[in-house]
Amino acid sequence: MSKVSERDVVMIALFAALIAVLGLVPKLTLASGIPITAQTLGIMLCGTVLGAWRGAAAAALFCLLTLLGLPLLAGGRGGLGVLMTPWAGFFVGFPIAAFVTGLVMERMRALPVAAGAAAGSVFGGIVALYVFALAWYMLAKPAGLGEAVTVAALPFIPGDLIKAVLAALVTQALAKARPGALPSRG
Amino acid sequence: MISLTSPVETVFHRWPAGLKLALLCVAGTGLFMLASLAGQLVALALVAAFYTLPGMRFARAGLAALRPVALFAALIAAWHVATGTLAEGAVIVLRLLSAVALANLVTMTTRLADMLAVLHWLTAPLRRIGLNTRPPELAISLVIRFIPVLSEKGAALAESYRARSPRRRAGWRIAAPLAGLALDDADHVAEALRARGGLSEGARK
Amino acid sequence: MSEIRLERAAYGVNGREILCPLTLTLDERRIGVVGRNGSGKSTLARLLAGLIAPTGGAVMVGGDDLFADRKAALARVGILFQNPDHQIIFPTCGEEVSFGLVQQGRNDAEAAARAAMAEIGKAHWWDRPVGTLSGGQRHLLCLVSVLAMAPEWLILDEPFAGLDIPTTRALHARLAALPQRVVMISHDPEALEGFDRVIWLEAGAVAADGPASEVLARFRAAMEGEGDDLTDLAG
């Protein structure tokens, strides 16, 4: 990692703000009754657009400000209470999700932007995030693997798959509108 | 930027932020270790008393802040009803409510500036070993500054989308242009930051 | 007072030349730079402020290379950008004005910032969130933030874009009274009326350089003579 530049810091801060703003986008409700918001879309975009370490830093900054008491999570939630449910791993794991997403995007340069972004979002935003969050659930509640998967993972997977597709579309649109402007592929 | 701090002044507002955070850690650990149903009931009653102490207006705000937990509590309860482990489920749901309510209490009674001061104090050892904590602190200010700027831009994009589309809501479709604007803004803001000394110059006392 | 010297200073990106090699000495009190969109005006402003390094030649202010020596740059040159939302970094007015002074390493940063705000009668802005300021007020906040750092030169990049007439007049009057030397970039000849010197940039080169009245008259005549089509936007 080279020296941090002004541009890196500003980009990280702006994408942390972007995650928050995407949480304000009106939410859709899936057939399963679980609301999905664009917030995890924001986390995936941090990885696909900014790359691994900048994306993780943006997600971490977002988490930090939420914990300090800003209502940045979808639905205006925030504060330290977020940490206290067994589901907190889905929140604390945001930087890991963004990092893995970005890592896949950076390493799979041979893939077209959309395919790389989709693969990254699935590995980072779903696989990595769920592994971390389920482990957290099992420790924090405490619970067995079967319960964790049933209660904490299955209801949310359809929404997250949709968001991985959206992240790929958005990243591709961005790459088209601003050729050469993706720091993750820079 | 609106924060979750309660406008109702309570006695807890006057406690030092660091003390509140330390107490929250202790209480959280205690709740986690406490396995008896009666004990958890007493704990929850105690937390409820903290909320009613400053008056009903504060208590109602506290209850509203607890609402999102209902979904989680219901999911846990459903699991334990289905598996026939009611006593265990009751302890876990009570613990969840007390822990979230206590954490919310700290958030509701501590100003953002005081939280940031604790953070600055906690990171002091990093500075002592020569790390520069200024870039992340600057980034925190930038996020607070740019959330309203980006949401205004998002609203404008949504409006211009509606003006040229039969759909009523733009939803996720504004994500790409909004991310694009964020990237453009980043270049300009980085330049403005550099024009006034950037990350490394000055600021060393 | 320092003078700005450009010696065959050029700027290009990926082989595309934005500014041709320029050799200029700037030491008048009020200097205007006029030109059409894409003539290289903003690039020149960024070179003068040391925000970008010339890809050829050199830019020196009072003998300092401001791109390399940012510490010196803060004392030499302040720059005001077109869009205040790109310039304001902090959530409250007080933090915004203090920032540059802290960066300069001043121990009395907060007191100096309060004094700078009191001077324009806005002491009560200290805790005000910047989001609640109007467009003109944000411009004013940016101006105070830069002036508080007391630079020798002030570079203004299209400072009046998008402002209404009374606000423009008020800011204009404030700028006219400044002791600083000023370089103002504008596409609007009106804004540069009465300046000591005006430089007209065209496609990255100097098309005219001299007293305001003379250069602006020629610039106006040329712009009136331009066609109405948008072919210039192609490319």
Side-chain angles (χ1 to χ4, degrees):
Chain A
M1 192 168 87
S2 57
K3 196 175 163 292
V4 182
S5 73
E6 281 96 11
R7 190 161 178 270
D8 288 329
V9 171
V10 173
M11 214 145 50
I12 287 163
L14 280 170
F15 267 71
L18 183 70
I19 304 170
V21 171
L22 285 177
L24 306 174
V25 170
K27 59 187 177 203
L28 317 159
T29 304
L30 288 189
S32 61
I34 303 287
I36 67 164
T37 68
Q39 201 135 48
T40 27
L41 174 62
I43 298 294
M44 291 171 182
L45 287 178
C46 283
T48 62
V49 176
L50 297 186
W53 78 265
R54 290 190 207 88
L61 194 55
F62 169 81
C63 291
L64 178 67
L65 279 164
T66 307
L67 289 178
L68 290 181
L70 294 184
L72 304 183
L73 286 174
R77 289 177 303 127
L80 293 162
V82 173
L83 276 187
M84 295 296 178
T85 80
W87 280 264
F90 282 99
F91 168 77
V92 180
F94 278 170
I96 296 168
F99 186 84
V100 174
T101 305
L103 201 62
V104 172
M105 188 74 184
E106 285 172 5
R107 290 293 152 84
M108 297 176 126
R109 269 164 210 279
L111 286 182
V113 170
S121 300
V122 169
F123 276 110
I126 301 180
V127 178
L129 183 61
Y130 277 68
V131 167
F132 179 80
L134 288 181
W136 184 292
Y137 187 93
M138 289 161 66
L139 280 174
K141 185 174 169 266
L145 183 61
E147 178 191 347
V149 170
T150 316
V151 177
L154 288 181
F156 304 100
I157 284 186
D160 284 336
L161 281 172
I162 293 176
K163 275 176 272 188
V165 174
L166 292 183
L169 292 176
V170 169
T171 308
Q172 189 187 30
L174 202 58
K176 238 185 230 166
R178 286 171 178 70
L182 288 191
S184 60
R185 289 279 172 102
Chain B
M1 185 77 218
I2 304 154
S3 79
L4 295 165
T5 315
S6 165
V8 181
E9 273 285 326
T10 68
V11 58
F12 304 115
H13 277 80
R14 288 193 292 276
W15 292 16
L19 174 69
K20 279 184 278 190
L21 288 169
L23 286 177
L24 179 63
C25 289
V26 173
T29 313
L31 282 171
F32 194 79
M33 312 242 281
L34 189 62
S36 93
L37 185 58
Q40 288 290 347
L41 274 171
V42 171
L44 186 60
L46 209 60
V47 174
F50 288 153
Y51 272 90
T52 46
L53 217 57
M56 280 325 282
R57 208 177 126 214
F58 184 81
R60 265 196 301 276
L63 207 56
L66 216 48
R67 199 172 311 136
V69 187
L71 175 70
F72 298 125
L75 275 171
I76 292 178
W79 172 266
H80 285 280
V81 168
T83 55
T85 47
L86 281 178
E88 194 193 333
V91 168
I92 291 171
V93 169
L94 288 174
R95 174 191 296 153
L96 173 69
L97 291 175
S98 306
V100 175
L102 267 185
N104 283 348
L105 189 62
V106 174
T107 296
M108 287 172 71
T109 61
T110 312
R111 271 167 289 269
L112 183 61
D114 297 335
M115 287 283 193
L116 289 173
V118 173
L119 193 66
H120 187 79
W121 180 76
L122 285 175
T123 53
L126 297 178
R127 283 186 292 282
R128 217 160 297 135
I129 60 166
L131 281 178
N132 185 7
T133 57
R134 185 140 170 90
E137 286 177 351
L138 205 57
I140 289 176
S141 295
L142 279 168
V143 181
I144 298 172
R145 158 79 184 118
F146 274 92
I147 286 171
V149 174
L150 277 186
S151 46
E152 267 170 43
K153 288 185 176 173
L157 281 172
E159 216 163 54
S160 95
Y161 179 90
R162 276 201 306 275
R164 287 181 291 163
S165 155
R167 282 178 201 269
R168 223 157 20 87
R169 287 206 313 226
W172 65 273
R173 286 171 206 84
I174 62 160
L178 196 57
L181 286 177
L183 281 180
D184 291 348
D185 280 355
D187 290 337
H188 292 295
V189 176
E191 195 167 57
L193 188 56
R194 196 171 151 68
R196 285 190 290 160
L199 300 173
S200 39
E201 278 87 346
R204 303 261 162 76
K205 296 217 172 132
Chain C
M1 273 286 173
S2 53
E3 57 174 24
I4 302 181
R5 299 174 67 91
L6 285 84
E7 302 203 13
R8 300 200 51 74
Y11 190 78
V13 181
N14 303 328
R16 200 166 64 89
E17 197 157 64
I18 295 170
L19 273 185
C20 309
L22 293 177
T23 300
L24 293 167
T25 301
L26 310 179
D27 59 359
E28 288 80 4
R29 252 191 96 242
R30 293 286 179 270
I31 299 170
V33 177
V34 76
R36 302 193 293 176
N37 294 329
S39 56
K41 302 188 300 284
S42 284
T43 305
L44 179 60
R46 281 157 179 73
L47 275 179
L48 298 183
L51 293 175
I52 51 178
T55 47
V59 180
M60 297 296 218
V61 182
D64 292 324
D65 175 349
L66 300 193
F67 181 78
D69 186 353
R70 292 304 299 160
K71 191 106 191 153
L74 297 188
R76 296 279 190 208
V77 176
I79 179 167
L80 204 62
F81 296 92
Q82 187 174 357
N83 183 347
D85 274 340
H86 288 148
Q87 179 155 356
I88 301 175
I89 299 166
F90 290 88
T92 64
C93 297
E95 289 174 280
E96 177 66 19
V97 178
S98 310
F99 174 66
L101 297 162
V102 173
Q103 294 285 90
Q104 285 182 318
R106 287 178 60 163
N107 289 322
D108 61 338
E110 186 179 328
R114 283 187 188 274
M117 287 171 82
E119 206 171 303
I120 56 157
K122 301 293 181 204
H124 58 287
W125 276 10
W126 187 261
D127 280 319
R128 189 155 163 192
V130 291
T132 63
L133 299 179
S134 71
Q137 290 171 329
R138 285 182 208 193
H139 273 275
L140 186 57
L141 177 65
C142 290
L143 183 62
V144 179
S145 306
V146 172
L147 289 180
M149 297 169 75
E152 296 167 7
W153 286 84
L154 186 61
I155 317 272
L156 305 149
D157 185 8
E158 303 270 9
F160 303 127
L163 293 180
D164 62 22
I165 295 169
T167 312
T168 305
R169 281 215 187 106
L171 279 180
H172 219 328
R174 205 172 288 281
L175 289 175
L178 289 179
Q180 265 86 6
R181 296 184 172 195
V182 169
V183 177
M184 190 191 291
I185 314 281
S186 184
H187 63 271
D188 177 15
E190 204 102 334
L192 305 177
E193 220 62 79
F195 273 41
D196 301 319
R197 175 182 178 187
V198 170
I199 298 165
W200 170 11
L201 280 186
E202 190 73 50
V206 175
D209 183 355
S213 52
E214 193 186 307
V215 175
L216 292 177
R218 281 175 60 194
F219 178 72
R220 276 204 188 90
M223 293 303 109
E224 300 287 332
E226 283 292 318
D228 297 334
D229 61 279
L230 291 172
T231 45
D232 267 353
L233 291 179

PDB file of all heavy atoms in Angstrom, chain A residues 136-151:
ATOM      1  N   TRP A 136     -20.690 -15.007  13.761  1.00  0.00           N
ATOM      2  CA  TRP A 136     -21.035 -14.023  14.803  1.00  0.00           C
ATOM      3  C   TRP A 136     -22.338 -14.424  15.496  1.00  0.00           C
ATOM      4  O   TRP A 136     -22.442 -14.405  16.720  1.00  0.00           O
ATOM      5  CB  TRP A 136     -21.158 -12.637  14.151  1.00  0.00           C
ATOM      6  CG  TRP A 136     -21.412 -11.519  15.122  1.00  0.00           C
ATOM      7  CD1 TRP A 136     -22.542 -11.318  15.865  1.00  0.00           C
ATOM      8  CD2 TRP A 136     -20.519 -10.456  15.470  1.00  0.00           C
ATOM      9  NE1 TRP A 136     -22.425 -10.202  16.641  1.00  0.00           N
ATOM     10  CE2 TRP A 136     -21.191  -9.642  16.416  1.00  0.00           C
ATOM     11  CE3 TRP A 136     -19.224 -10.105  15.070  1.00  0.00           C
ATOM     12  CZ2 TRP A 136     -20.616  -8.506  16.963  1.00  0.00           C
ATOM     13  CZ3 TRP A 136     -18.650  -8.960  15.610  1.00  0.00           C
ATOM     14  CH2 TRP A 136     -19.338  -8.181  16.559  1.00  0.00           C
ATOM     15  N   TYR A 137     -23.332 -14.796  14.692  1.00  0.00           N
ATOM     16  CA  TYR A 137     -24.642 -15.174  15.239  1.00  0.00           C
ATOM     17  C   TYR A 137     -24.501 -16.361  16.196  1.00  0.00           C
ATOM     18  O   TYR A 137     -25.036 -16.371  17.298  1.00  0.00           O
ATOM     19  CB  TYR A 137     -25.592 -15.529  14.089  1.00  0.00           C
ATOM     20  CG  TYR A 137     -27.014 -15.771  14.531  1.00  0.00           C
ATOM     21  CD1 TYR A 137     -27.952 -14.737  14.527  1.00  0.00           C
ATOM     22  CD2 TYR A 137     -27.430 -17.028  14.957  1.00  0.00           C
ATOM     23  CE1 TYR A 137     -29.255 -14.948  14.945  1.00  0.00           C
ATOM     24  CE2 TYR A 137     -28.741 -17.245  15.373  1.00  0.00           C
ATOM     25  CZ  TYR A 137     -29.647 -16.197  15.367  1.00  0.00           C
ATOM     26  OH  TYR A 137     -30.936 -16.409  15.775  1.00  0.00           O
ATOM     27  N   MET A 138     -23.719 -17.375  15.742  1.00  0.00           N
ATOM     28  CA  MET A 138     -23.567 -18.580  16.546  1.00  0.00           C
ATOM     29  C   MET A 138     -22.889 -18.270  17.874  1.00  0.00           C
ATOM     30  O   MET A 138     -23.215 -18.869  18.908  1.00  0.00           O
ATOM     31  CB  MET A 138     -22.783 -19.637  15.758  1.00  0.00           C
ATOM     32  CG  MET A 138     -23.616 -20.220  14.619  1.00  0.00           C
ATOM     33  SD  MET A 138     -22.627 -21.037  13.358  1.00  0.00           S
ATOM     34  CE  MET A 138     -21.972 -22.404  14.279  1.00  0.00           C
ATOM     35  N   LEU A 139     -21.938 -17.340  17.873  1.00  0.00           N
ATOM     36  CA  LEU A 139     -21.240 -16.977  19.103  1.00  0.00           C
ATOM     37  C   LEU A 139     -22.075 -16.059  19.986  1.00  0.00           C
ATOM     38  O   LEU A 139     -22.115 -16.211  21.207  1.00  0.00           O
ATOM     39  CB  LEU A 139     -19.918 -16.269  18.767  1.00  0.00           C
ATOM     40  CG  LEU A 139     -18.762 -17.161  18.375  1.00  0.00           C
ATOM     41  CD1 LEU A 139     -17.579 -16.311  17.935  1.00  0.00           C
ATOM     42  CD2 LEU A 139     -18.377 -18.047  19.566  1.00  0.00           C
ATOM     43  N   ALA A 140     -22.761 -15.112  19.365  1.00  0.00           N
ATOM     44  CA  ALA A 140     -23.406 -14.052  20.140  1.00  0.00           C
ATOM     45  C   ALA A 140     -24.725 -14.521  20.749  1.00  0.00           C
ATOM     46  O   ALA A 140     -25.117 -14.054  21.808  1.00  0.00           O
ATOM     47  CB  ALA A 140     -23.635 -12.823  19.260  1.00  0.00           C
ATOM     48  N   LYS A 141     -25.414 -15.467  20.067  1.00  0.00           N
ATOM     49  CA  LYS A 141     -26.763 -15.759  20.575  1.00  0.00           C
ATOM     50  C   LYS A 141     -26.760 -16.665  21.811  1.00  0.00           C
ATOM     51  O   LYS A 141     -27.463 -16.309  22.758  1.00  0.00           O
ATOM     52  CB  LYS A 141     -27.603 -16.388  19.465  1.00  0.00           C
ATOM     53  CG  LYS A 141     -29.041 -16.568  19.955  1.00  0.00           C
ATOM     54  CD  LYS A 141     -29.947 -17.033  18.883  1.00  0.00           C
ATOM     55  CE  LYS A 141     -31.275 -17.448  19.469  1.00  0.00           C
ATOM     56  NZ  LYS A 141     -31.389 -18.845  19.765  1.00  0.00           N
ATOM     57  N   PRO A 142     -26.097 -17.691  22.030  1.00  0.00           N
ATOM     58  CA  PRO A 142     -25.386 -18.546  21.072  1.00  0.00           C
ATOM     59  C   PRO A 142     -26.353 -19.530  20.404  1.00  0.00           C
ATOM     60  O   PRO A 142     -27.423 -19.807  20.940  1.00  0.00           O
ATOM     61  CB  PRO A 142     -24.393 -19.283  21.961  1.00  0.00           C
ATOM     62  CG  PRO A 142     -24.851 -19.090  23.379  1.00  0.00           C
ATOM     63  CD  PRO A 142     -26.019 -18.171  23.379  1.00  0.00           C
ATOM     64  N   ALA A 143     -25.951 -20.061  19.253  1.00  0.00           N
ATOM     65  CA  ALA A 143     -26.834 -20.943  18.503  1.00  0.00           C
ATOM     66  C   ALA A 143     -26.014 -21.935  17.700  1.00  0.00           C
ATOM     67  O   ALA A 143     -24.810 -21.769  17.530  1.00  0.00           O
ATOM     68  CB  ALA A 143     -27.703 -20.120  17.562  1.00  0.00           C
ATOM     69  N   GLY A 144     -26.678 -22.972  17.196  1.00  0.00           N
ATOM     70  CA  GLY A 144     -26.024 -23.935  16.327  1.00  0.00           C
ATOM     71  C   GLY A 144     -26.087 -23.467  14.881  1.00  0.00           C
ATOM     72  O   GLY A 144     -26.775 -22.497  14.560  1.00  0.00           O
ATOM     73  N   LEU A 145     -25.379 -24.180  14.006  1.00  0.00           N
ATOM     74  CA  LEU A 145     -25.300 -23.769  12.605  1.00  0.00           C
ATOM     75  C   LEU A 145     -26.676 -23.820  11.937  1.00  0.00           C
ATOM     76  O   LEU A 145     -27.055 -22.915  11.196  1.00  0.00           O
ATOM     77  CB  LEU A 145     -24.311 -24.671  11.854  1.00  0.00           C
ATOM     78  CG  LEU A 145     -24.071 -24.307  10.395  1.00  0.00           C
ATOM     79  CD1 LEU A 145     -23.482 -22.915  10.277  1.00  0.00           C
ATOM     80  CD2 LEU A 145     -23.154 -25.321   9.728  1.00  0.00           C
ATOM     81  N   GLY A 146     -27.436 -24.884  12.249  1.00  0.00           N
ATOM     82  CA  GLY A 146     -28.740 -25.037  11.606  1.00  0.00           C
ATOM     83  C   GLY A 146     -29.648 -23.855  11.899  1.00  0.00           C
ATOM     84  O   GLY A 146     -30.260 -23.282  10.997  1.00  0.00           O
ATOM     85  N   GLU A 147     -29.700 -23.469  13.163  1.00  0.00           N
ATOM     86  CA  GLU A 147     -30.546 -22.334  13.536  1.00  0.00           C
ATOM     87  C   GLU A 147     -30.060 -21.055  12.865  1.00  0.00           C
ATOM     88  O   GLU A 147     -30.855 -20.282  12.324  1.00  0.00           O
ATOM     89  CB  GLU A 147     -30.539 -22.148  15.053  1.00  0.00           C
ATOM     90  CG  GLU A 147     -31.357 -20.944  15.472  1.00  0.00           C
ATOM     91  CD  GLU A 147     -31.176 -20.564  16.936  1.00  0.00           C
ATOM     92  OE1 GLU A 147     -30.614 -21.365  17.702  1.00  0.00           O
ATOM     93  OE2 GLU A 147     -31.613 -19.467  17.304  1.00  0.00           O
ATOM     94  N   ALA A 148     -28.752 -20.850  12.887  1.00  0.00           N
ATOM     95  CA  ALA A 148     -28.194 -19.625  12.318  1.00  0.00           C
ATOM     96  C   ALA A 148     -28.578 -19.499  10.848  1.00  0.00           C
ATOM     97  O   ALA A 148     -29.011 -18.442  10.384  1.00  0.00           O
ATOM     98  CB  ALA A 148     -26.676 -19.606  12.480  1.00  0.00           C
ATOM     99  N   VAL A 149     -28.424 -20.610  10.116  1.00  0.00           N
ATOM    100  CA  VAL A 149     -28.730 -20.562   8.681  1.00  0.00           C
ATOM    101  C   VAL A 149     -30.218 -20.274   8.469  1.00  0.00           C
ATOM    102  O   VAL A 149     -30.600 -19.437   7.652  1.00  0.00           O
ATOM    103  CB  VAL A 149     -28.320 -21.888   7.998  1.00  0.00           C
ATOM    104  CG1 VAL A 149     -28.857 -21.938   6.574  1.00  0.00           C
ATOM    105  CG2 VAL A 149     -26.792 -22.016   7.987  1.00  0.00           C
ATOM    106  N   THR A 150     -31.076 -20.958   9.235  1.00  0.00           N
ATOM    107  CA  THR A 150     -32.518 -20.796   9.045  1.00  0.00           C
ATOM    108  C   THR A 150     -32.986 -19.388   9.391  1.00  0.00           C
ATOM    109  O   THR A 150     -33.753 -18.772   8.659  1.00  0.00           O
ATOM    110  CB  THR A 150     -33.289 -21.778   9.953  1.00  0.00           C
ATOM    111  OG1 THR A 150     -32.651 -23.049   9.889  1.00  0.00           O
ATOM    112  CG2 THR A 150     -34.735 -21.899   9.514  1.00  0.00           C
ATOM    113  N   VAL A 151     -32.507 -18.885  10.530  1.00  0.00           N
ATOM    114  CA  VAL A 151     -33.046 -17.630  11.038  1.00  0.00           C
ATOM    115  C   VAL A 151     -32.295 -16.423  10.492  1.00  0.00           C
ATOM    116  O   VAL A 151     -32.891 -15.373  10.241  1.00  0.00           O
ATOM    117  CB  VAL A 151     -33.009 -17.630  12.582  1.00  0.00           C
ATOM    118  CG1 VAL A 151     -33.506 -16.307  13.123  1.00  0.00           C
ATOM    119  CG2 VAL A 151     -33.861 -18.769  13.119  1.00  0.00           C
TER     120      VAL A 151
END
